[in-house]
Amino acid sequence: MSREAAGLYVHVPFCLTRCGYCDFNTYAGLDHLKSGYVDALAAEAEMWLDDWSGTSFVSVFFGGGTPTTLPAATLAHLLNAFRTWCELASGAEITSEANPDTVDQPYLCALLDGGVTRLSMGVQSFDPVVLESLERVHSPDSARRAFAAARSAGFADVNLDLIYGANGESLRSWCRTLEEAVSLGPEHLSCYALTVEPSTPLGRSVAAGLVPTPDADVQAEMYAATCEVLAGAGYEHYEVSNWATPGHRCIHNLGYWEGRPYVGIGAGAHSYRGGLRWWNVRPPAQYLEMVARGERPIGGEERLSDEDRRLERLLLGLRTADGVPPEWVEPDRATEFVTAGLAERRNGRLSLTDRGMFLANDVVLELG
Ligand code: SF4
């Protein structure tokens, strides 16, 4: 019998500063919690030991927040601690997110030596005006330096995260960012449309009329340009917001889209297995208290109904280039979407076109 494959997500909620658009569970100014937090991550991992014995972990993802605000030796130490309670598959993909201002070549050498195999760098833009509008702390130059340091340290699997549609960004500026990203030659690119979350400083500025709402038509043009430029540069568009050179799709994120189980540890981390989704408490201090008491720091859980699971499989499947089996969608609806240029039948599957992918959430709700 084949063994269950799973992913491990590790949430590091510390950042140098908070970017105005960010609604992740992250904090600036909590450095005094770092050492206790690292101990708690190892302790929480151990609490899951029995539940996941016999599972082969094919990926580990240090996300956040900014994991590289922790010393490289600490991330390596955590990785070793995880190896004592779970089995990492041979060749497992081990990713760390990184902010350009937190890494240099010695740091990245130590990270690679410590077992991290893949780097995902939050670059967002190579235009200083756009970086300022996003309230990023780093400059285009520090992103260039960090990428060069990753290469000279020996990272052969690097993702760059980019964001399009910020206030002050034109289609031309976005295309220049894309071209510069391509010229660096990363194996993977994630390109996200800026979304405005009401609870963020950006959301409040938009609500107060101080900053315009991103223009959906301009973002659609930027998305179309992204598809064109990256296809021309040899990247496979394998998920709505993700492109990779052959052989470099992100195993960890593919797991989310393919319904592979995962356990998330750390403040606010989510987990999923067999139709049950659960999540940890968000405030780091509460997380630390619960783990210190020997309690699993669970904040809530949700059992998905069969209908929820069907819709979720459809939504996630259609986000990927491989699409879904055609019988998952009512035939007349599928034909309608194919005729409208939003979906296509490819290799015996139903997949979204680039235009359909830009509208993925709306399209899937209609198709479901
Ligand atoms: S660096 Fe990333 S996680 Fe941290 S505040 Fe900015 S967007 Fe959020």
Side-chain angles (χ1 to χ4, degrees), residues 258-288:
E258 290 170 357
R260 191 188 304 141
Y262 56 91
V263 59
I265 62 170
H270 283 231
S271 305
Y272 176 79
R273 193 186 208 181
L276 182 68
R277 198 194 320 281
W278 66 98
W279 51 89
N280 285 351
V281 292
R282 279 171 71 94
Q286 188 187 3
Y287 168 81
L288 289 175

PDB file of all heavy atoms in Angstrom, residues 258-288:
ATOM      1  N   GLU A 258      -4.039  20.173  -5.293  1.00  0.00           N
ATOM      2  CA  GLU A 258      -4.426  18.794  -5.618  1.00  0.00           C
ATOM      3  C   GLU A 258      -5.107  18.094  -4.446  1.00  0.00           C
ATOM      4  O   GLU A 258      -5.402  16.909  -4.516  1.00  0.00           O
ATOM      5  CB  GLU A 258      -3.177  18.013  -6.068  1.00  0.00           C
ATOM      6  CG  GLU A 258      -2.679  18.483  -7.431  1.00  0.00           C
ATOM      7  CD  GLU A 258      -1.313  17.917  -7.812  1.00  0.00           C
ATOM      8  OE1 GLU A 258      -0.723  17.192  -6.984  1.00  0.00           O
ATOM      9  OE2 GLU A 258      -0.855  18.219  -8.933  1.00  0.00           O
ATOM     10  N   GLY A 259      -5.291  18.807  -3.332  1.00  0.00           N
ATOM     11  CA  GLY A 259      -6.004  18.222  -2.193  1.00  0.00           C
ATOM     12  C   GLY A 259      -5.128  17.312  -1.331  1.00  0.00           C
ATOM     13  O   GLY A 259      -5.661  16.500  -0.560  1.00  0.00           O
ATOM     14  N   ARG A 260      -3.809  17.428  -1.426  1.00  0.00           N
ATOM     15  CA  ARG A 260      -2.912  16.627  -0.593  1.00  0.00           C
ATOM     16  C   ARG A 260      -3.026  17.125   0.857  1.00  0.00           C
ATOM     17  O   ARG A 260      -3.136  18.331   1.079  1.00  0.00           O
ATOM     18  CB  ARG A 260      -1.477  16.810  -1.101  1.00  0.00           C
ATOM     19  CG  ARG A 260      -0.474  15.847  -0.503  1.00  0.00           C
ATOM     20  CD  ARG A 260       0.961  16.229  -0.906  1.00  0.00           C
ATOM     21  NE  ARG A 260       1.163  16.302  -2.329  1.00  0.00           N
ATOM     22  CZ  ARG A 260       1.919  17.234  -2.931  1.00  0.00           C
ATOM     23  NH1 ARG A 260       2.516  18.174  -2.223  1.00  0.00           N
ATOM     24  NH2 ARG A 260       2.057  17.238  -4.237  1.00  0.00           N
ATOM     25  N   PRO A 261      -3.019  16.206   1.850  1.00  0.00           N
ATOM     26  CA  PRO A 261      -3.099  16.684   3.232  1.00  0.00           C
ATOM     27  C   PRO A 261      -1.879  17.499   3.630  1.00  0.00           C
ATOM     28  O   PRO A 261      -0.795  17.310   3.062  1.00  0.00           O
ATOM     29  CB  PRO A 261      -3.154  15.391   4.064  1.00  0.00           C
ATOM     30  CG  PRO A 261      -2.974  14.259   3.141  1.00  0.00           C
ATOM     31  CD  PRO A 261      -2.950  14.748   1.730  1.00  0.00           C
ATOM     32  N   TYR A 262      -2.075  18.397   4.575  1.00  0.00           N
ATOM     33  CA  TYR A 262      -0.936  19.161   5.089  1.00  0.00           C
ATOM     34  C   TYR A 262      -1.183  19.514   6.539  1.00  0.00           C
ATOM     35  O   TYR A 262      -2.323  19.648   6.984  1.00  0.00           O
ATOM     36  CB  TYR A 262      -0.681  20.435   4.265  1.00  0.00           C
ATOM     37  CG  TYR A 262      -1.842  21.371   4.133  1.00  0.00           C
ATOM     38  CD1 TYR A 262      -2.042  22.395   5.046  1.00  0.00           C
ATOM     39  CD2 TYR A 262      -2.758  21.234   3.082  1.00  0.00           C
ATOM     40  CE1 TYR A 262      -3.120  23.270   4.927  1.00  0.00           C
ATOM     41  CE2 TYR A 262      -3.836  22.095   2.969  1.00  0.00           C
ATOM     42  CZ  TYR A 262      -4.008  23.107   3.887  1.00  0.00           C
ATOM     43  OH  TYR A 262      -5.092  23.959   3.770  1.00  0.00           O
ATOM     44  N   VAL A 263      -0.084  19.638   7.263  1.00  0.00           N
ATOM     45  CA  VAL A 263      -0.182  20.114   8.639  1.00  0.00           C
ATOM     46  C   VAL A 263       0.551  21.440   8.700  1.00  0.00           C
ATOM     47  O   VAL A 263       1.640  21.593   8.140  1.00  0.00           O
ATOM     48  CB  VAL A 263       0.359  19.066   9.647  1.00  0.00           C
ATOM     49  CG1 VAL A 263       1.802  18.721   9.397  1.00  0.00           C
ATOM     50  CG2 VAL A 263       0.197  19.564  11.081  1.00  0.00           C
ATOM     51  N   GLY A 264      -0.074  22.408   9.340  1.00  0.00           N
ATOM     52  CA  GLY A 264       0.545  23.722   9.499  1.00  0.00           C
ATOM     53  C   GLY A 264       0.861  23.934  10.962  1.00  0.00           C
ATOM     54  O   GLY A 264       0.006  23.690  11.828  1.00  0.00           O
ATOM     55  N   ILE A 265       2.071  24.366  11.253  1.00  0.00           N
ATOM     56  CA  ILE A 265       2.398  24.675  12.644  1.00  0.00           C
ATOM     57  C   ILE A 265       2.779  26.149  12.747  1.00  0.00           C
ATOM     58  O   ILE A 265       3.240  26.755  11.789  1.00  0.00           O
ATOM     59  CB  ILE A 265       3.508  23.754  13.203  1.00  0.00           C
ATOM     60  CG1 ILE A 265       4.810  23.922  12.431  1.00  0.00           C
ATOM     61  CG2 ILE A 265       3.082  22.305  13.208  1.00  0.00           C
ATOM     62  CD1 ILE A 265       5.976  23.230  13.100  1.00  0.00           C
ATOM     63  N   GLY A 266       2.561  26.697  13.936  1.00  0.00           N
ATOM     64  CA  GLY A 266       2.824  28.117  14.146  1.00  0.00           C
ATOM     65  C   GLY A 266       1.520  28.884  14.287  1.00  0.00           C
ATOM     66  O   GLY A 266       0.429  28.367  13.992  1.00  0.00           O
ATOM     67  N   ALA A 267       1.643  30.150  14.706  1.00  0.00           N
ATOM     68  CA  ALA A 267       0.465  30.976  14.961  1.00  0.00           C
ATOM     69  C   ALA A 267      -0.383  31.142  13.705  1.00  0.00           C
ATOM     70  O   ALA A 267       0.120  31.565  12.661  1.00  0.00           O
ATOM     71  CB  ALA A 267       0.911  32.351  15.455  1.00  0.00           C
ATOM     72  N   GLY A 268      -1.651  30.788  13.804  1.00  0.00           N
ATOM     73  CA  GLY A 268      -2.596  30.992  12.704  1.00  0.00           C
ATOM     74  C   GLY A 268      -2.463  30.007  11.548  1.00  0.00           C
ATOM     75  O   GLY A 268      -3.189  30.134  10.564  1.00  0.00           O
ATOM     76  N   ALA A 269      -1.565  29.027  11.673  1.00  0.00           N
ATOM     77  CA  ALA A 269      -1.348  28.098  10.545  1.00  0.00           C
ATOM     78  C   ALA A 269      -2.567  27.188  10.359  1.00  0.00           C
ATOM     79  O   ALA A 269      -3.214  26.785  11.325  1.00  0.00           O
ATOM     80  CB  ALA A 269      -0.101  27.267  10.797  1.00  0.00           C
ATOM     81  N   HIS A 270      -2.852  26.867   9.113  1.00  0.00           N
ATOM     82  CA  HIS A 270      -3.983  26.002   8.777  1.00  0.00           C
ATOM     83  C   HIS A 270      -3.505  24.601   8.419  1.00  0.00           C
ATOM     84  O   HIS A 270      -2.391  24.432   7.912  1.00  0.00           O
ATOM     85  CB  HIS A 270      -4.741  26.570   7.572  1.00  0.00           C
ATOM     86  CG  HIS A 270      -5.623  27.728   7.926  1.00  0.00           C
ATOM     87  ND1 HIS A 270      -6.943  27.801   7.573  1.00  0.00           N
ATOM     88  CD2 HIS A 270      -5.362  28.864   8.621  1.00  0.00           C
ATOM     89  CE1 HIS A 270      -7.476  28.926   8.032  1.00  0.00           C
ATOM     90  NE2 HIS A 270      -6.518  29.589   8.659  1.00  0.00           N
ATOM     91  N   SER A 271      -4.371  23.619   8.667  1.00  0.00           N
ATOM     92  CA  SER A 271      -4.069  22.225   8.328  1.00  0.00           C
ATOM     93  C   SER A 271      -5.288  21.616   7.649  1.00  0.00           C
ATOM     94  O   SER A 271      -6.411  22.104   7.825  1.00  0.00           O
ATOM     95  CB  SER A 271      -3.762  21.411   9.593  1.00  0.00           C
ATOM     96  OG  SER A 271      -2.722  22.010  10.339  1.00  0.00           O
ATOM     97  N   TYR A 272      -5.049  20.528   6.923  1.00  0.00           N
ATOM     98  CA  TYR A 272      -6.166  19.874   6.217  1.00  0.00           C
ATOM     99  C   TYR A 272      -5.868  18.385   6.050  1.00  0.00           C
ATOM    100  O   TYR A 272      -4.736  17.997   5.703  1.00  0.00           O
ATOM    101  CB  TYR A 272      -6.344  20.494   4.822  1.00  0.00           C
ATOM    102  CG  TYR A 272      -7.403  19.792   4.014  1.00  0.00           C
ATOM    103  CD1 TYR A 272      -8.755  20.064   4.237  1.00  0.00           C
ATOM    104  CD2 TYR A 272      -7.069  18.832   3.066  1.00  0.00           C
ATOM    105  CE1 TYR A 272      -9.741  19.399   3.526  1.00  0.00           C
ATOM    106  CE2 TYR A 272      -8.048  18.168   2.332  1.00  0.00           C
ATOM    107  CZ  TYR A 272      -9.382  18.459   2.567  1.00  0.00           C
ATOM    108  OH  TYR A 272     -10.355  17.796   1.865  1.00  0.00           O
ATOM    109  N   ARG A 273      -6.879  17.584   6.332  1.00  0.00           N
ATOM    110  CA  ARG A 273      -6.733  16.149   6.091  1.00  0.00           C
ATOM    111  C   ARG A 273      -8.119  15.502   6.046  1.00  0.00           C
ATOM    112  O   ARG A 273      -8.917  15.688   6.957  1.00  0.00           O
ATOM    113  CB  ARG A 273      -5.927  15.522   7.237  1.00  0.00           C
ATOM    114  CG  ARG A 273      -5.443  14.115   6.964  1.00  0.00           C
ATOM    115  CD  ARG A 273      -4.811  13.571   8.226  1.00  0.00           C
ATOM    116  NE  ARG A 273      -3.792  12.583   7.985  1.00  0.00           N
ATOM    117  CZ  ARG A 273      -3.120  11.971   8.960  1.00  0.00           C
ATOM    118  NH1 ARG A 273      -3.342  12.297  10.223  1.00  0.00           N
ATOM    119  NH2 ARG A 273      -2.204  11.068   8.670  1.00  0.00           N
ATOM    120  N   GLY A 274      -8.368  14.785   4.984  1.00  0.00           N
ATOM    121  CA  GLY A 274      -9.590  13.986   4.887  1.00  0.00           C
ATOM    122  C   GLY A 274     -10.880  14.762   5.118  1.00  0.00           C
ATOM    123  O   GLY A 274     -11.779  14.288   5.824  1.00  0.00           O
ATOM    124  N   GLY A 275     -10.997  15.946   4.560  1.00  0.00           N
ATOM    125  CA  GLY A 275     -12.248  16.705   4.684  1.00  0.00           C
ATOM    126  C   GLY A 275     -12.328  17.531   5.959  1.00  0.00           C
ATOM    127  O   GLY A 275     -13.302  18.249   6.175  1.00  0.00           O
ATOM    128  N   LEU A 276     -11.319  17.429   6.829  1.00  0.00           N
ATOM    129  CA  LEU A 276     -11.309  18.248   8.051  1.00  0.00           C
ATOM    130  C   LEU A 276     -10.256  19.331   7.898  1.00  0.00           C
ATOM    131  O   LEU A 276      -9.114  19.053   7.529  1.00  0.00           O
ATOM    132  CB  LEU A 276     -10.988  17.377   9.272  1.00  0.00           C
ATOM    133  CG  LEU A 276     -11.012  18.135  10.608  1.00  0.00           C
ATOM    134  CD1 LEU A 276     -12.451  18.563  10.957  1.00  0.00           C
ATOM    135  CD2 LEU A 276     -10.451  17.260  11.741  1.00  0.00           C
ATOM    136  N   ARG A 277     -10.686  20.570   8.153  1.00  0.00           N
ATOM    137  CA  ARG A 277      -9.758  21.681   8.122  1.00  0.00           C
ATOM    138  C   ARG A 277      -9.702  22.257   9.531  1.00  0.00           C
ATOM    139  O   ARG A 277     -10.726  22.385  10.198  1.00  0.00           O
ATOM    140  CB  ARG A 277     -10.312  22.747   7.163  1.00  0.00           C
ATOM    141  CG  ARG A 277      -9.279  23.750   6.705  1.00  0.00           C
ATOM    142  CD  ARG A 277      -9.863  24.980   6.042  1.00  0.00           C
ATOM    143  NE  ARG A 277     -10.986  24.794   5.150  1.00  0.00           N
ATOM    144  CZ  ARG A 277     -10.881  24.359   3.902  1.00  0.00           C
ATOM    145  NH1 ARG A 277      -9.707  24.039   3.404  1.00  0.00           N
ATOM    146  NH2 ARG A 277     -11.956  24.229   3.156  1.00  0.00           N
ATOM    147  N   TRP A 278      -8.519  22.558  10.027  1.00  0.00           N
ATOM    148  CA  TRP A 278      -8.416  23.196  11.341  1.00  0.00           C
ATOM    149  C   TRP A 278      -7.309  24.230  11.291  1.00  0.00           C
ATOM    150  O   TRP A 278      -6.473  24.223  10.396  1.00  0.00           O
ATOM    151  CB  TRP A 278      -8.189  22.159  12.442  1.00  0.00           C
ATOM    152  CG  TRP A 278      -6.885  21.425  12.401  1.00  0.00           C
ATOM    153  CD1 TRP A 278      -5.768  21.713  13.130  1.00  0.00           C
ATOM    154  CD2 TRP A 278      -6.561  20.247  11.640  1.00  0.00           C
ATOM    155  NE1 TRP A 278      -4.765  20.811  12.856  1.00  0.00           N
ATOM    156  CE2 TRP A 278      -5.223  19.905  11.949  1.00  0.00           C
ATOM    157  CE3 TRP A 278      -7.252  19.458  10.711  1.00  0.00           C
ATOM    158  CZ2 TRP A 278      -4.571  18.813  11.361  1.00  0.00           C
ATOM    159  CZ3 TRP A 278      -6.605  18.370  10.134  1.00  0.00           C
ATOM    160  CH2 TRP A 278      -5.288  18.060  10.459  1.00  0.00           C
ATOM    161  N   TRP A 279      -7.354  25.145  12.264  1.00  0.00           N
ATOM    162  CA  TRP A 279      -6.381  26.237  12.238  1.00  0.00           C
ATOM    163  C   TRP A 279      -5.989  26.605  13.658  1.00  0.00           C
ATOM    164  O   TRP A 279      -6.770  26.452  14.607  1.00  0.00           O
ATOM    165  CB  TRP A 279      -6.942  27.441  11.479  1.00  0.00           C
ATOM    166  CG  TRP A 279      -8.289  27.863  11.928  1.00  0.00           C
ATOM    167  CD1 TRP A 279      -8.591  28.760  12.912  1.00  0.00           C
ATOM    168  CD2 TRP A 279      -9.551  27.372  11.426  1.00  0.00           C
ATOM    169  NE1 TRP A 279      -9.939  28.871  13.046  1.00  0.00           N
ATOM    170  CE2 TRP A 279     -10.555  28.038  12.158  1.00  0.00           C
ATOM    171  CE3 TRP A 279      -9.912  26.443  10.447  1.00  0.00           C
ATOM    172  CZ2 TRP A 279     -11.908  27.788  11.921  1.00  0.00           C
ATOM    173  CZ3 TRP A 279     -11.257  26.207  10.228  1.00  0.00           C
ATOM    174  CH2 TRP A 279     -12.238  26.878  10.950  1.00  0.00           C
ATOM    175  N   ASN A 280      -4.777  27.116  13.769  1.00  0.00           N
ATOM    176  CA  ASN A 280      -4.248  27.520  15.067  1.00  0.00           C
ATOM    177  C   ASN A 280      -4.709  28.927  15.427  1.00  0.00           C
ATOM    178  O   ASN A 280      -5.064  29.722  14.540  1.00  0.00           O
ATOM    179  CB  ASN A 280      -2.714  27.495  15.032  1.00  0.00           C
ATOM    180  CG  ASN A 280      -2.169  26.069  15.089  1.00  0.00           C
ATOM    181  OD1 ASN A 280      -2.918  25.123  15.326  1.00  0.00           O
ATOM    182  ND2 ASN A 280      -0.876  25.930  14.879  1.00  0.00           N
ATOM    183  N   VAL A 281      -4.632  29.227  16.732  1.00  0.00           N
ATOM    184  CA  VAL A 281      -4.940  30.598  17.178  1.00  0.00           C
ATOM    185  C   VAL A 281      -3.945  31.554  16.522  1.00  0.00           C
ATOM    186  O   VAL A 281      -2.790  31.195  16.281  1.00  0.00           O
ATOM    187  CB  VAL A 281      -4.852  30.710  18.716  1.00  0.00           C
ATOM    188  CG1 VAL A 281      -5.963  29.905  19.368  1.00  0.00           C
ATOM    189  CG2 VAL A 281      -3.486  30.292  19.249  1.00  0.00           C
ATOM    190  N   ARG A 282      -4.392  32.773  16.222  1.00  0.00           N
ATOM    191  CA  ARG A 282      -3.542  33.714  15.468  1.00  0.00           C
ATOM    192  C   ARG A 282      -2.544  34.504  16.323  1.00  0.00           C
ATOM    193  O   ARG A 282      -1.393  34.632  15.942  1.00  0.00           O
ATOM    194  CB  ARG A 282      -4.424  34.701  14.695  1.00  0.00           C
ATOM    195  CG  ARG A 282      -4.953  34.120  13.387  1.00  0.00           C
ATOM    196  CD  ARG A 282      -5.998  35.047  12.767  1.00  0.00           C
ATOM    197  NE  ARG A 282      -5.419  36.281  12.240  1.00  0.00           N
ATOM    198  CZ  ARG A 282      -5.042  36.463  10.988  1.00  0.00           C
ATOM    199  NH1 ARG A 282      -5.155  35.473  10.117  1.00  0.00           N
ATOM    200  NH2 ARG A 282      -4.539  37.620  10.585  1.00  0.00           N
ATOM    201  N   PRO A 283      -2.935  35.049  17.472  1.00  0.00           N
ATOM    202  CA  PRO A 283      -1.968  35.901  18.187  1.00  0.00           C
ATOM    203  C   PRO A 283      -0.771  35.086  18.684  1.00  0.00           C
ATOM    204  O   PRO A 283      -0.946  34.078  19.380  1.00  0.00           O
ATOM    205  CB  PRO A 283      -2.782  36.450  19.378  1.00  0.00           C
ATOM    206  CG  PRO A 283      -4.219  36.242  19.001  1.00  0.00           C
ATOM    207  CD  PRO A 283      -4.248  35.010  18.150  1.00  0.00           C
ATOM    208  N   PRO A 284       0.449  35.512  18.347  1.00  0.00           N
ATOM    209  CA  PRO A 284       1.617  34.732  18.768  1.00  0.00           C
ATOM    210  C   PRO A 284       1.671  34.506  20.278  1.00  0.00           C
ATOM    211  O   PRO A 284       2.029  33.415  20.735  1.00  0.00           O
ATOM    212  CB  PRO A 284       2.798  35.580  18.289  1.00  0.00           C
ATOM    213  CG  PRO A 284       2.257  36.330  17.122  1.00  0.00           C
ATOM    214  CD  PRO A 284       0.822  36.602  17.439  1.00  0.00           C
ATOM    215  N   ALA A 285       1.273  35.518  21.087  1.00  0.00           N
ATOM    216  CA  ALA A 285       1.364  35.345  22.544  1.00  0.00           C
ATOM    217  C   ALA A 285       0.419  34.228  23.009  1.00  0.00           C
ATOM    218  O   ALA A 285       0.786  33.393  23.846  1.00  0.00           O
ATOM    219  CB  ALA A 285       1.027  36.662  23.238  1.00  0.00           C
ATOM    220  N   GLN A 286      -0.791  34.183  22.444  1.00  0.00           N
ATOM    221  CA  GLN A 286      -1.745  33.132  22.825  1.00  0.00           C
ATOM    222  C   GLN A 286      -1.237  31.760  22.366  1.00  0.00           C
ATOM    223  O   GLN A 286      -1.346  30.766  23.086  1.00  0.00           O
ATOM    224  CB  GLN A 286      -3.115  33.436  22.199  1.00  0.00           C
ATOM    225  CG  GLN A 286      -4.212  32.513  22.685  1.00  0.00           C
ATOM    226  CD  GLN A 286      -5.522  32.731  21.932  1.00  0.00           C
ATOM    227  OE1 GLN A 286      -5.600  33.549  20.988  1.00  0.00           O
ATOM    228  NE2 GLN A 286      -6.549  32.022  22.323  1.00  0.00           N
ATOM    229  N   TYR A 287      -0.662  31.750  21.174  1.00  0.00           N
ATOM    230  CA  TYR A 287      -0.081  30.507  20.653  1.00  0.00           C
ATOM    231  C   TYR A 287       0.988  29.980  21.622  1.00  0.00           C
ATOM    232  O   TYR A 287       0.990  28.801  21.996  1.00  0.00           O
ATOM    233  CB  TYR A 287       0.514  30.782  19.257  1.00  0.00           C
ATOM    234  CG  TYR A 287       1.381  29.681  18.719  1.00  0.00           C
ATOM    235  CD1 TYR A 287       0.817  28.560  18.119  1.00  0.00           C
ATOM    236  CD2 TYR A 287       2.771  29.747  18.811  1.00  0.00           C
ATOM    237  CE1 TYR A 287       1.613  27.535  17.631  1.00  0.00           C
ATOM    238  CE2 TYR A 287       3.573  28.741  18.320  1.00  0.00           C
ATOM    239  CZ  TYR A 287       2.989  27.632  17.734  1.00  0.00           C
ATOM    240  OH  TYR A 287       3.781  26.615  17.261  1.00  0.00           O
ATOM    241  N   LEU A 288       1.864  30.882  22.051  1.00  0.00           N
ATOM    242  CA  LEU A 288       2.954  30.485  22.947  1.00  0.00           C
ATOM    243  C   LEU A 288       2.395  29.956  24.273  1.00  0.00           C
ATOM    244  O   LEU A 288       2.874  28.944  24.791  1.00  0.00           O
ATOM    245  CB  LEU A 288       3.875  31.678  23.225  1.00  0.00           C
ATOM    246  CG  LEU A 288       4.738  32.115  22.041  1.00  0.00           C
ATOM    247  CD1 LEU A 288       5.514  33.377  22.374  1.00  0.00           C
ATOM    248  CD2 LEU A 288       5.707  31.012  21.651  1.00  0.00           C
TER     249      LEU A 288
END
